[in-house]
Short mmCIF file of all heavy atoms in Angstrom, two decimals:
data_model
loop_
_atom_site.label_atom_id
_atom_site.label_comp_id
_atom_site.label_asym_id
_atom_site.label_seq_id
_atom_site.Cartn_x
_atom_site.Cartn_y
_atom_site.Cartn_z
N MET A 14 0.84 -1.16 0.01
CA MET A 14 0.00 0.01 0.01
C MET A 14 0.89 1.24 0.01
O MET A 14 1.84 1.34 0.78
CB MET A 14 -0.92 0.02 1.23
CG MET A 14 -1.70 1.29 1.34
SD MET A 14 -2.63 1.53 2.89
CE MET A 14 -3.59 0.07 2.98
N LEU A 15 0.58 2.15 -0.86
CA LEU A 15 1.26 3.43 -0.91
C LEU A 15 0.56 4.37 0.09
O LEU A 15 -0.71 4.52 -0.06
CB LEU A 15 1.25 4.03 -2.34
CG LEU A 15 1.78 5.41 -2.53
CD1 LEU A 15 3.28 5.44 -2.21
CD2 LEU A 15 1.50 5.89 -3.93
N VAL A 16 1.28 5.00 0.93
CA VAL A 16 0.69 5.97 1.84
C VAL A 16 1.31 7.35 1.55
O VAL A 16 2.51 7.50 1.56
CB VAL A 16 1.02 5.59 3.32
CG1 VAL A 16 0.44 6.59 4.30
CG2 VAL A 16 0.46 4.17 3.63
N LEU A 17 0.41 8.30 1.29
CA LEU A 17 0.84 9.67 1.01
C LEU A 17 0.28 10.63 1.99
O LEU A 17 -0.80 10.45 2.51
CB LEU A 17 0.34 10.03 -0.43
CG LEU A 17 0.85 9.18 -1.60
CD1 LEU A 17 0.13 9.57 -2.85
CD2 LEU A 17 2.33 9.31 -1.75
N THR A 18 0.98 11.71 2.23
CA THR A 18 0.47 12.78 3.05
C THR A 18 0.15 13.95 2.14
O THR A 18 0.95 14.34 1.31
CB THR A 18 1.60 13.25 4.06
OG1 THR A 18 1.95 12.12 4.86
CG2 THR A 18 1.09 14.35 4.91
N ARG A 19 -1.08 14.44 2.27
CA ARG A 19 -1.56 15.58 1.46
C ARG A 19 -2.22 16.57 2.38
O ARG A 19 -2.79 16.26 3.42
CB ARG A 19 -2.60 15.12 0.42
CG ARG A 19 -2.08 14.07 -0.53
CD ARG A 19 -1.35 14.68 -1.75
NE ARG A 19 -0.01 15.09 -1.34
CZ ARG A 19 0.81 15.85 -2.08
NH1 ARG A 19 0.38 16.36 -3.19
NH2 ARG A 19 1.98 16.17 -1.66
N LYS A 20 -2.20 17.83 1.98
CA LYS A 20 -2.89 18.90 2.66
C LYS A 20 -4.15 19.24 1.87
O LYS A 20 -4.31 18.83 0.73
CB LYS A 20 -2.00 20.13 2.78
CG LYS A 20 -0.76 19.86 3.62
CD LYS A 20 0.12 21.11 3.66
CE LYS A 20 1.38 20.85 4.48
NZ LYS A 20 2.28 22.00 4.48
N ALA A 21 -5.00 20.04 2.48
CA ALA A 21 -6.23 20.48 1.77
C ALA A 21 -5.88 21.13 0.46
O ALA A 21 -4.84 21.89 0.36
CB ALA A 21 -6.98 21.47 2.65
N ASN A 22 -6.63 20.82 -0.56
CA ASN A 22 -6.49 21.35 -1.94
C ASN A 22 -5.31 20.75 -2.71
O ASN A 22 -5.05 21.14 -3.84
CB ASN A 22 -6.39 22.90 -2.00
CG ASN A 22 -7.68 23.51 -1.46
OD1 ASN A 22 -8.77 23.11 -1.87
ND2 ASN A 22 -7.56 24.46 -0.60
N GLN A 23 -4.62 19.77 -2.12
CA GLN A 23 -3.60 19.08 -2.87
C GLN A 23 -4.20 17.84 -3.60
O GLN A 23 -5.18 17.30 -3.10
CB GLN A 23 -2.42 18.63 -1.94
CG GLN A 23 -1.64 19.85 -1.46
CD GLN A 23 -0.43 19.41 -0.65
OE1 GLN A 23 -0.45 18.42 0.06
NE2 GLN A 23 0.63 20.22 -0.67
N THR A 24 -3.57 17.41 -4.62
CA THR A 24 -4.14 16.39 -5.53
C THR A 24 -3.18 15.20 -5.68
O THR A 24 -1.96 15.38 -5.62
CB THR A 24 -4.45 16.96 -6.89
OG1 THR A 24 -5.33 18.06 -6.75
CG2 THR A 24 -5.06 15.98 -7.87
N ILE A 25 -3.76 14.04 -5.88
CA ILE A 25 -3.02 12.84 -6.25
C ILE A 25 -3.50 12.40 -7.57
O ILE A 25 -4.72 12.35 -7.83
CB ILE A 25 -3.31 11.72 -5.19
CG1 ILE A 25 -2.80 12.13 -3.84
CG2 ILE A 25 -2.62 10.40 -5.65
CD1 ILE A 25 -3.27 11.23 -2.71
N ASN A 26 -2.59 12.14 -8.51
CA ASN A 26 -2.97 11.60 -9.83
C ASN A 26 -2.72 10.11 -9.89
O ASN A 26 -1.71 9.62 -9.46
CB ASN A 26 -2.14 12.29 -10.95
CG ASN A 26 -2.43 13.73 -11.06
OD1 ASN A 26 -3.51 14.18 -10.78
ND2 ASN A 26 -1.45 14.50 -11.50
N ILE A 27 -3.67 9.40 -10.47
CA ILE A 27 -3.57 7.98 -10.74
C ILE A 27 -3.64 7.79 -12.20
O ILE A 27 -4.74 8.01 -12.80
CB ILE A 27 -4.60 7.17 -9.97
CG1 ILE A 27 -4.52 7.41 -8.46
CG2 ILE A 27 -4.51 5.69 -10.32
CD1 ILE A 27 -5.62 6.79 -7.67
N GLY A 28 -2.58 7.44 -12.89
CA GLY A 28 -2.59 7.36 -14.32
C GLY A 28 -2.80 8.75 -14.93
O GLY A 28 -2.58 9.79 -14.32
N ASP A 29 -3.37 8.71 -16.16
CA ASP A 29 -3.60 9.96 -16.88
C ASP A 29 -4.98 10.52 -16.65
O ASP A 29 -5.25 11.69 -17.00
CB ASP A 29 -3.40 9.77 -18.39
CG ASP A 29 -1.96 9.47 -18.69
OD1 ASP A 29 -1.08 9.94 -17.97
OD2 ASP A 29 -1.71 8.75 -19.70
N ASN A 30 -5.90 9.71 -16.07
CA ASN A 30 -7.31 10.17 -16.11
C ASN A 30 -7.99 10.10 -14.74
O ASN A 30 -9.24 10.14 -14.69
CB ASN A 30 -8.11 9.40 -17.17
CG ASN A 30 -8.02 7.93 -17.01
OD1 ASN A 30 -7.39 7.42 -16.07
ND2 ASN A 30 -8.69 7.18 -17.85
N ILE A 31 -7.29 9.88 -13.68
CA ILE A 31 -7.91 9.89 -12.34
C ILE A 31 -7.16 10.84 -11.45
O ILE A 31 -5.98 10.80 -11.32
CB ILE A 31 -7.91 8.47 -11.76
CG1 ILE A 31 -8.66 7.47 -12.66
CG2 ILE A 31 -8.52 8.51 -10.35
CD1 ILE A 31 -8.55 6.05 -12.15
N LYS A 32 -7.96 11.75 -10.81
CA LYS A 32 -7.36 12.69 -9.88
C LYS A 32 -8.16 12.64 -8.56
O LYS A 32 -9.39 12.60 -8.61
CB LYS A 32 -7.43 14.15 -10.40
CG LYS A 32 -6.52 14.42 -11.56
CD LYS A 32 -6.59 15.85 -11.97
CE LYS A 32 -5.60 16.12 -13.12
NZ LYS A 32 -5.48 17.51 -13.43
N ILE A 33 -7.46 12.58 -7.50
CA ILE A 33 -8.09 12.61 -6.15
C ILE A 33 -7.63 13.88 -5.44
O ILE A 33 -6.41 14.03 -5.26
CB ILE A 33 -7.74 11.36 -5.34
CG1 ILE A 33 -8.24 10.13 -6.11
CG2 ILE A 33 -8.37 11.44 -3.95
CD1 ILE A 33 -7.83 8.79 -5.46
N LYS A 34 -8.57 14.70 -5.08
CA LYS A 34 -8.20 15.97 -4.44
C LYS A 34 -8.73 15.99 -3.01
O LYS A 34 -9.83 15.61 -2.71
CB LYS A 34 -8.84 17.13 -5.19
CG LYS A 34 -8.49 18.50 -4.63
CD LYS A 34 -9.02 19.62 -5.51
CE LYS A 34 -8.62 20.98 -5.02
NZ LYS A 34 -9.03 22.07 -5.88
N VAL A 35 -7.86 16.44 -2.06
CA VAL A 35 -8.28 16.63 -0.66
C VAL A 35 -9.08 17.91 -0.66
O VAL A 35 -8.55 19.02 -0.83
CB VAL A 35 -7.10 16.68 0.25
CG1 VAL A 35 -7.56 16.94 1.68
CG2 VAL A 35 -6.25 15.39 0.14
N VAL A 36 -10.36 17.83 -0.47
CA VAL A 36 -11.26 18.98 -0.55
C VAL A 36 -11.30 19.67 0.85
O VAL A 36 -11.31 20.87 0.96
CB VAL A 36 -12.64 18.59 -1.02
CG1 VAL A 36 -13.64 19.73 -0.96
CG2 VAL A 36 -12.62 18.01 -2.40
N GLU A 37 -11.40 18.84 1.85
CA GLU A 37 -11.57 19.44 3.20
C GLU A 37 -11.02 18.43 4.25
O GLU A 37 -11.12 17.23 4.12
CB GLU A 37 -13.06 19.67 3.51
CG GLU A 37 -13.36 20.33 4.82
CD GLU A 37 -14.85 20.55 5.00
OE1 GLU A 37 -15.58 20.48 4.01
OE2 GLU A 37 -15.23 20.78 6.15
N ILE A 38 -10.38 18.98 5.28
CA ILE A 38 -9.92 18.17 6.39
C ILE A 38 -10.64 18.67 7.64
O ILE A 38 -10.55 19.88 7.91
CB ILE A 38 -8.39 18.25 6.59
CG1 ILE A 38 -7.68 17.76 5.28
CG2 ILE A 38 -7.95 17.48 7.78
CD1 ILE A 38 -6.19 18.01 5.28
N GLY A 39 -11.31 17.78 8.32
CA GLY A 39 -12.05 18.21 9.52
C GLY A 39 -11.57 17.46 10.71
O GLY A 39 -10.59 16.74 10.72
N ASN A 40 -12.36 17.52 11.76
CA ASN A 40 -12.11 16.83 13.02
C ASN A 40 -12.50 15.34 12.87
O ASN A 40 -13.63 15.02 13.05
CB ASN A 40 -12.83 17.48 14.17
CG ASN A 40 -12.40 16.96 15.52
OD1 ASN A 40 -11.41 16.30 15.63
ND2 ASN A 40 -13.16 17.30 16.52
N GLY A 41 -11.55 14.52 12.50
CA GLY A 41 -11.83 13.09 12.35
C GLY A 41 -12.30 12.65 10.96
O GLY A 41 -12.76 11.51 10.85
N PHE A 42 -12.24 13.52 9.99
CA PHE A 42 -12.62 13.11 8.64
C PHE A 42 -11.80 13.84 7.57
O PHE A 42 -11.16 14.88 7.84
CB PHE A 42 -14.10 13.45 8.39
CG PHE A 42 -14.39 14.91 8.23
CD1 PHE A 42 -14.40 15.47 6.95
CD2 PHE A 42 -14.71 15.70 9.31
CE1 PHE A 42 -14.67 16.86 6.74
CE2 PHE A 42 -14.98 17.05 9.13
CZ PHE A 42 -14.95 17.63 7.84
N VAL A 43 -11.83 13.29 6.40
CA VAL A 43 -11.20 13.88 5.25
C VAL A 43 -12.19 13.81 4.13
O VAL A 43 -12.77 12.73 3.85
CB VAL A 43 -9.91 13.16 4.82
CG1 VAL A 43 -9.36 13.72 3.52
CG2 VAL A 43 -8.88 13.20 5.89
N LYS A 44 -12.49 14.89 3.41
CA LYS A 44 -13.40 14.91 2.32
C LYS A 44 -12.59 14.92 1.04
O LYS A 44 -11.72 15.81 0.85
CB LYS A 44 -14.31 16.13 2.34
CG LYS A 44 -15.48 16.12 1.35
CD LYS A 44 -16.34 17.38 1.39
CE LYS A 44 -17.15 17.29 2.67
NZ LYS A 44 -18.15 18.40 2.68
N LEU A 45 -12.88 13.95 0.18
CA LEU A 45 -12.09 13.82 -1.09
C LEU A 45 -12.97 14.08 -2.28
O LEU A 45 -14.13 13.73 -2.32
CB LEU A 45 -11.54 12.37 -1.20
CG LEU A 45 -10.64 11.89 -0.09
CD1 LEU A 45 -10.33 10.41 -0.24
CD2 LEU A 45 -9.38 12.72 -0.05
N GLY A 46 -12.39 14.69 -3.27
CA GLY A 46 -13.09 14.83 -4.60
C GLY A 46 -12.36 13.94 -5.57
O GLY A 46 -11.14 13.88 -5.57
N ILE A 47 -13.12 13.24 -6.39
CA ILE A 47 -12.52 12.28 -7.35
C ILE A 47 -12.97 12.64 -8.76
O ILE A 47 -14.17 12.76 -9.05
CB ILE A 47 -12.95 10.83 -7.04
CG1 ILE A 47 -12.55 10.49 -5.61
CG2 ILE A 47 -12.37 9.85 -8.06
CD1 ILE A 47 -13.11 9.16 -5.13
N GLU A 48 -12.00 12.89 -9.65
CA GLU A 48 -12.27 13.08 -11.07
C GLU A 48 -11.81 11.81 -11.81
O GLU A 48 -10.67 11.43 -11.69
CB GLU A 48 -11.48 14.28 -11.61
CG GLU A 48 -11.94 15.63 -11.12
CD GLU A 48 -11.14 16.74 -11.74
OE1 GLU A 48 -10.60 16.59 -12.83
OE2 GLU A 48 -11.05 17.79 -11.07
N ALA A 49 -12.76 11.16 -12.44
CA ALA A 49 -12.48 9.93 -13.16
C ALA A 49 -13.39 9.79 -14.35
O ALA A 49 -14.47 10.43 -14.33
CB ALA A 49 -12.60 8.74 -12.22
N PRO A 50 -13.09 8.96 -15.28
CA PRO A 50 -14.00 8.72 -16.40
C PRO A 50 -15.38 8.23 -15.93
O PRO A 50 -15.44 7.49 -14.95
CB PRO A 50 -13.32 7.67 -17.24
CG PRO A 50 -11.86 7.76 -16.90
CD PRO A 50 -11.86 8.18 -15.45
N TYR A 51 -16.46 8.64 -16.56
CA TYR A 51 -17.78 8.24 -16.15
C TYR A 51 -18.00 6.74 -16.21
O TYR A 51 -18.84 6.20 -15.50
CB TYR A 51 -18.85 8.96 -17.01
CG TYR A 51 -19.00 10.41 -16.65
CD1 TYR A 51 -18.57 11.39 -17.55
CD2 TYR A 51 -19.54 10.79 -15.46
CE1 TYR A 51 -18.64 12.72 -17.21
CE2 TYR A 51 -19.70 12.14 -15.12
CZ TYR A 51 -19.22 13.08 -16.02
OH TYR A 51 -19.36 14.39 -15.69
N ASP A 52 -17.25 6.05 -17.08
CA ASP A 52 -17.48 4.59 -17.19
C ASP A 52 -16.70 3.82 -16.13
O ASP A 52 -16.73 2.61 -16.11
CB ASP A 52 -17.15 4.11 -18.60
CG ASP A 52 -15.68 4.36 -18.94
OD1 ASP A 52 -15.01 5.19 -18.33
OD2 ASP A 52 -15.20 3.70 -19.87
N LEU A 53 -16.03 4.51 -15.28
CA LEU A 53 -15.24 3.85 -14.19
C LEU A 53 -16.08 3.93 -12.89
O LEU A 53 -16.22 5.02 -12.33
CB LEU A 53 -13.91 4.54 -13.98
CG LEU A 53 -13.04 3.98 -12.91
CD1 LEU A 53 -12.54 2.59 -13.27
CD2 LEU A 53 -11.82 4.87 -12.69
N PRO A 54 -16.63 2.80 -12.41
CA PRO A 54 -17.41 2.88 -11.22
C PRO A 54 -16.57 3.18 -10.00
O PRO A 54 -15.46 2.64 -9.91
CB PRO A 54 -18.09 1.47 -11.13
CG PRO A 54 -17.26 0.60 -11.97
CD PRO A 54 -16.56 1.47 -12.99
N ILE A 55 -17.05 4.00 -9.10
CA ILE A 55 -16.35 4.34 -7.87
C ILE A 55 -17.36 4.11 -6.73
O ILE A 55 -18.43 4.69 -6.75
CB ILE A 55 -15.88 5.79 -7.89
CG1 ILE A 55 -14.90 6.01 -9.07
CG2 ILE A 55 -15.22 6.20 -6.56
CD1 ILE A 55 -14.56 7.47 -9.29
N TYR A 56 -16.99 3.27 -5.79
CA TYR A 56 -17.90 2.97 -4.66
C TYR A 56 -17.15 3.13 -3.31
O TYR A 56 -15.96 2.84 -3.21
CB TYR A 56 -18.31 1.49 -4.74
CG TYR A 56 -19.05 1.09 -5.97
CD1 TYR A 56 -18.40 0.36 -6.94
CD2 TYR A 56 -20.36 1.47 -6.17
CE1 TYR A 56 -19.08 -0.03 -8.14
CE2 TYR A 56 -21.03 1.07 -7.34
CZ TYR A 56 -20.41 0.36 -8.26
OH TYR A 56 -21.00 -0.02 -9.43
N ARG A 57 -17.90 3.54 -2.31
CA ARG A 57 -17.40 3.47 -0.96
C ARG A 57 -17.27 1.99 -0.63
O ARG A 57 -18.03 1.16 -1.12
CB ARG A 57 -18.39 4.07 0.03
CG ARG A 57 -18.58 5.59 -0.17
CD ARG A 57 -19.46 6.16 0.94
NE ARG A 57 -20.53 5.32 1.36
CZ ARG A 57 -21.85 5.44 0.95
NH1 ARG A 57 -22.16 6.38 0.12
NH2 ARG A 57 -22.71 4.59 1.41
N GLU A 58 -16.29 1.60 0.17
CA GLU A 58 -16.02 0.19 0.45
C GLU A 58 -17.21 -0.56 0.99
O GLU A 58 -17.50 -1.66 0.54
CB GLU A 58 -14.85 0.03 1.38
CG GLU A 58 -14.45 -1.41 1.60
CD GLU A 58 -13.23 -1.62 2.46
OE1 GLU A 58 -12.83 -0.70 3.21
OE2 GLU A 58 -12.66 -2.70 2.41
N GLU A 59 -17.96 0.02 1.92
CA GLU A 59 -19.11 -0.70 2.46
C GLU A 59 -20.18 -0.96 1.41
O GLU A 59 -20.80 -1.98 1.46
CB GLU A 59 -19.65 0.05 3.70
CG GLU A 59 -20.23 1.43 3.44
CD GLU A 59 -19.25 2.56 3.43
OE1 GLU A 59 -18.01 2.33 3.46
OE2 GLU A 59 -19.68 3.72 3.43
N LEU A 60 -20.36 -0.02 0.52
CA LEU A 60 -21.34 -0.25 -0.55
C LEU A 60 -20.82 -1.33 -1.51
O LEU A 60 -21.58 -2.20 -1.97
CB LEU A 60 -21.63 1.06 -1.28
CG LEU A 60 -22.63 0.99 -2.43
CD1 LEU A 60 -23.95 0.42 -1.99
CD2 LEU A 60 -22.81 2.36 -3.07
N TYR A 61 -19.54 -1.27 -1.83
CA TYR A 61 -18.97 -2.22 -2.77
C TYR A 61 -19.10 -3.67 -2.17
O TYR A 61 -19.44 -4.60 -2.88
CB TYR A 61 -17.52 -1.91 -3.00
CG TYR A 61 -16.78 -2.80 -3.95
CD1 TYR A 61 -17.07 -2.75 -5.31
CD2 TYR A 61 -15.86 -3.72 -3.52
CE1 TYR A 61 -16.44 -3.62 -6.24
CE2 TYR A 61 -15.26 -4.58 -4.39
CZ TYR A 61 -15.53 -4.51 -5.76
OH TYR A 61 -14.92 -5.38 -6.60
N GLU A 62 -18.84 -3.83 -0.88
CA GLU A 62 -18.94 -5.13 -0.26
C GLU A 62 -20.39 -5.62 -0.26
O GLU A 62 -20.64 -6.79 -0.45
CB GLU A 62 -18.40 -5.08 1.17
CG GLU A 62 -16.92 -4.86 1.31
CD GLU A 62 -16.13 -5.95 0.56
OE1 GLU A 62 -16.50 -7.12 0.63
OE2 GLU A 62 -15.08 -5.61 -0.05
N LYS A 63 -21.38 -4.75 -0.06
CA LYS A 63 -22.78 -5.10 -0.10
C LYS A 63 -23.15 -5.53 -1.53
O LYS A 63 -23.88 -6.51 -1.69
CB LYS A 63 -23.66 -3.93 0.36
CG LYS A 63 -25.10 -4.23 0.38
CD LYS A 63 -25.44 -5.26 1.42
CE LYS A 63 -26.91 -5.48 1.51
NZ LYS A 63 -27.28 -6.54 2.45
N LEU A 64 -22.70 -4.84 -2.54
CA LEU A 64 -22.98 -5.23 -3.93
C LEU A 64 -22.38 -6.63 -4.25
O LEU A 64 -23.06 -7.41 -4.93
CB LEU A 64 -22.39 -4.18 -4.88
CG LEU A 64 -23.13 -2.84 -4.91
CD1 LEU A 64 -22.35 -1.87 -5.77
CD2 LEU A 64 -24.52 -3.02 -5.50
N LYS A 65 -21.16 -6.88 -3.79
CA LYS A 65 -20.54 -8.17 -3.99
C LYS A 65 -21.38 -9.27 -3.32
O LYS A 65 -21.66 -10.35 -3.91
CB LYS A 65 -19.13 -8.20 -3.44
CG LYS A 65 -18.14 -7.51 -4.33
CD LYS A 65 -16.68 -7.70 -3.94
CE LYS A 65 -16.32 -8.28 -2.65
NZ LYS A 65 -14.86 -8.27 -2.35
N GLN A 66 -21.88 -9.01 -2.09
CA GLN A 66 -22.70 -9.96 -1.36
C GLN A 66 -24.01 -10.24 -2.12
O GLN A 66 -24.41 -11.38 -2.27
CB GLN A 66 -22.98 -9.46 0.02
CG GLN A 66 -23.88 -10.35 0.85
CD GLN A 66 -24.32 -9.70 2.16
OE1 GLN A 66 -23.82 -8.64 2.53
NE2 GLN A 66 -25.19 -10.35 2.91
N LEU A 67 -24.65 -9.20 -2.61
CA LEU A 67 -25.89 -9.36 -3.39
C LEU A 67 -25.67 -10.15 -4.65
O LEU A 67 -26.46 -10.98 -5.07
CB LEU A 67 -26.51 -7.98 -3.71
CG LEU A 67 -27.06 -7.27 -2.52
CD1 LEU A 67 -27.46 -5.82 -2.92
CD2 LEU A 67 -28.24 -8.01 -1.91
N ASN A 68 -24.51 -9.94 -5.33
CA ASN A 68 -24.18 -10.69 -6.53
C ASN A 68 -24.03 -12.17 -6.22
O ASN A 68 -24.47 -13.01 -6.95
CB ASN A 68 -22.98 -10.14 -7.18
CG ASN A 68 -23.26 -8.89 -7.99
OD1 ASN A 68 -24.39 -8.65 -8.42
ND2 ASN A 68 -22.26 -8.08 -8.16
N VAL A 69 -23.35 -12.46 -5.11
CA VAL A 69 -23.19 -13.90 -4.73
C VAL A 69 -24.53 -14.53 -4.43
O VAL A 69 -24.84 -15.64 -4.88
CB VAL A 69 -22.24 -13.99 -3.52
CG1 VAL A 69 -22.26 -15.39 -2.89
CG2 VAL A 69 -20.83 -13.59 -3.89
N GLU A 70 -25.37 -13.82 -3.71
CA GLU A 70 -26.71 -14.33 -3.40
C GLU A 70 -27.53 -14.54 -4.64
O GLU A 70 -28.27 -15.59 -4.78
CB GLU A 70 -27.42 -13.38 -2.44
CG GLU A 70 -26.83 -13.43 -1.03
CD GLU A 70 -27.42 -12.36 -0.10
OE1 GLU A 70 -28.42 -11.72 -0.46
OE2 GLU A 70 -26.82 -12.17 0.98
N SER A 71 -27.49 -13.63 -5.56
CA SER A 71 -28.29 -13.78 -6.81
C SER A 71 -27.76 -14.94 -7.67
O SER A 71 -28.55 -15.54 -8.41
CB SER A 71 -28.29 -12.48 -7.61
OG SER A 71 -27.02 -12.21 -8.14
N ALA A 72 -26.50 -15.27 -7.56
CA ALA A 72 -25.95 -16.39 -8.30
C ALA A 72 -26.45 -17.71 -7.78
O ALA A 72 -26.38 -18.75 -8.45
CB ALA A 72 -24.43 -16.36 -8.30
N LYS A 73 -26.92 -17.76 -6.53
CA LYS A 73 -27.45 -18.95 -5.92
C LYS A 73 -28.93 -19.19 -6.27
O LYS A 73 -29.56 -20.01 -5.64
CB LYS A 73 -27.29 -18.89 -4.41
CG LYS A 73 -25.82 -18.87 -3.96
CD LYS A 73 -25.73 -18.75 -2.47
CE LYS A 73 -24.29 -18.63 -2.01
NZ LYS A 73 -24.19 -18.43 -0.56
N LEU A 74 -29.48 -18.49 -7.19
CA LEU A 74 -30.88 -18.54 -7.55
C LEU A 74 -31.26 -19.97 -7.95
O LEU A 74 -30.55 -20.61 -8.70
CB LEU A 74 -31.17 -17.57 -8.70
CG LEU A 74 -32.60 -17.47 -9.15
CD1 LEU A 74 -33.48 -16.95 -8.04
CD2 LEU A 74 -32.67 -16.56 -10.33
N ASP A 75 -32.39 -20.44 -7.44
CA ASP A 75 -32.91 -21.78 -7.78
C ASP A 75 -33.38 -21.76 -9.25
O ASP A 75 -34.37 -21.07 -9.56
CB ASP A 75 -34.04 -22.14 -6.82
CG ASP A 75 -34.59 -23.53 -7.00
OD1 ASP A 75 -34.56 -24.03 -8.16
OD2 ASP A 75 -35.03 -24.08 -6.05
N MET A 76 -32.76 -22.52 -10.09
CA MET A 76 -33.10 -22.54 -11.53
C MET A 76 -34.53 -22.97 -11.80
O MET A 76 -35.19 -22.48 -12.68
CB MET A 76 -32.12 -23.40 -12.32
CG MET A 76 -30.72 -22.79 -12.38
SD MET A 76 -30.69 -21.11 -13.03
CE MET A 76 -31.19 -21.33 -14.66
N ASP A 77 -35.06 -23.93 -11.01
CA ASP A 77 -36.42 -24.39 -11.19
C ASP A 77 -37.39 -23.26 -10.88
O ASP A 77 -38.42 -23.07 -11.63
CB ASP A 77 -36.74 -25.62 -10.33
CG ASP A 77 -36.02 -26.87 -10.77
OD1 ASP A 77 -35.75 -26.96 -12.03
OD2 ASP A 77 -35.72 -27.73 -9.95
N LYS A 78 -37.14 -22.54 -9.82
CA LYS A 78 -38.00 -21.37 -9.53
C LYS A 78 -37.92 -20.30 -10.59
O LYS A 78 -38.90 -19.68 -10.95
CB LYS A 78 -37.64 -20.78 -8.14
CG LYS A 78 -38.00 -21.65 -7.00
CD LYS A 78 -37.64 -20.98 -5.68
CE LYS A 78 -37.99 -21.91 -4.52
NZ LYS A 78 -37.64 -21.32 -3.24
N LEU A 79 -36.75 -20.10 -11.14
CA LEU A 79 -36.58 -19.14 -12.26
C LEU A 79 -37.33 -19.57 -13.46
O LEU A 79 -38.05 -18.77 -14.11
CB LEU A 79 -35.10 -18.98 -12.57
CG LEU A 79 -34.77 -17.99 -13.75
CD1 LEU A 79 -35.33 -16.58 -13.41
CD2 LEU A 79 -33.33 -17.96 -14.03
N LYS A 80 -37.28 -20.87 -13.81
CA LYS A 80 -38.00 -21.35 -14.98
C LYS A 80 -39.51 -21.22 -14.75
O LYS A 80 -40.24 -20.83 -15.66
CB LYS A 80 -37.66 -22.83 -15.21
CG LYS A 80 -36.26 -23.02 -15.80
CD LYS A 80 -35.95 -24.53 -15.95
CE LYS A 80 -34.51 -24.73 -16.49
NZ LYS A 80 -34.19 -26.12 -16.60
N ASP A 81 -39.97 -21.52 -13.50
CA ASP A 81 -41.41 -21.34 -13.22
C ASP A 81 -41.77 -19.86 -13.36
O ASP A 81 -42.81 -19.55 -13.92
CB ASP A 81 -41.72 -21.81 -11.78
CG ASP A 81 -41.65 -23.34 -11.67
OD1 ASP A 81 -41.68 -24.03 -12.72
OD2 ASP A 81 -41.58 -23.81 -10.51
N PHE A 82 -40.92 -19.01 -12.88
CA PHE A 82 -41.21 -17.58 -12.95
C PHE A 82 -41.29 -17.13 -14.40
O PHE A 82 -42.17 -16.33 -14.78
CB PHE A 82 -40.14 -16.82 -12.24
CG PHE A 82 -40.29 -15.28 -12.29
CD1 PHE A 82 -41.25 -14.63 -11.57
CD2 PHE A 82 -39.47 -14.53 -13.13
CE1 PHE A 82 -41.39 -13.25 -11.67
CE2 PHE A 82 -39.63 -13.21 -13.22
CZ PHE A 82 -40.60 -12.55 -12.48
N LEU A 83 -40.37 -17.61 -15.21
CA LEU A 83 -40.29 -17.23 -16.63
C LEU A 83 -41.28 -18.07 -17.48
O LEU A 83 -41.40 -17.84 -18.64
CB LEU A 83 -38.89 -17.33 -17.16
CG LEU A 83 -37.89 -16.38 -16.48
CD1 LEU A 83 -36.49 -16.69 -17.05
CD2 LEU A 83 -38.23 -14.95 -16.76
N GLU A 84 -41.93 -19.02 -16.81
CA GLU A 84 -42.90 -19.94 -17.52
C GLU A 84 -42.19 -20.69 -18.62
O GLU A 84 -42.76 -20.85 -19.73
CB GLU A 84 -44.13 -19.15 -18.00
CG GLU A 84 -44.88 -18.52 -16.90
CD GLU A 84 -46.10 -17.68 -17.40
OE1 GLU A 84 -46.29 -17.55 -18.62
OE2 GLU A 84 -46.79 -17.17 -16.53
N ILE A 85 -41.02 -21.19 -18.33
CA ILE A 85 -40.27 -22.03 -19.30
C ILE A 85 -40.58 -23.48 -19.01
O ILE A 85 -40.49 -23.92 -17.85
CB ILE A 85 -38.74 -21.78 -19.19
CG1 ILE A 85 -38.43 -20.30 -19.56
CG2 ILE A 85 -38.00 -22.73 -20.08
CD1 ILE A 85 -36.99 -19.93 -19.32
N LYS A 86 -40.94 -24.19 -20.04
CA LYS A 86 -41.29 -25.61 -19.89
C LYS A 86 -40.00 -26.44 -19.89
O LYS A 86 -39.08 -26.19 -20.63
CB LYS A 86 -42.18 -26.10 -21.04
CG LYS A 86 -43.44 -25.28 -21.21
CD LYS A 86 -44.32 -25.42 -20.03
CE LYS A 86 -45.64 -24.66 -20.26
NZ LYS A 86 -46.27 -24.26 -19.04
N ASN A 87 -40.00 -27.47 -19.01
CA ASN A 87 -38.88 -28.43 -19.02
C ASN A 87 -38.93 -29.26 -20.32
O ASN A 87 -39.98 -29.77 -20.67
CB ASN A 87 -38.89 -29.32 -17.81
CG ASN A 87 -38.53 -28.61 -16.54
OD1 ASN A 87 -37.79 -27.61 -16.57
ND2 ASN A 87 -39.06 -29.05 -15.43
N THR A 88 -37.78 -29.40 -20.97
CA THR A 88 -37.78 -30.21 -22.18
C THR A 88 -36.98 -31.47 -21.98
O THR A 88 -36.20 -31.66 -21.18
CB THR A 88 -37.15 -29.41 -23.36
OG1 THR A 88 -35.85 -29.00 -22.98
CG2 THR A 88 -38.01 -28.20 -23.68
#
């Protein structure tokens, strides 16, 4: 892990198209601004973990129930 020290209004560049700017430093928090391409998803870690969990759960879908739902006949 790379650890950097930045002050308010200083920026970190990642590659040519991602910039992370320290917008505000408060008592116990740091507010960051992120400039990145629109097609690059950016998630807070807790939301990303929840999405991964939901994807795993949806992959466990009962195929017979899905066929019944879609009214697909067994061949």
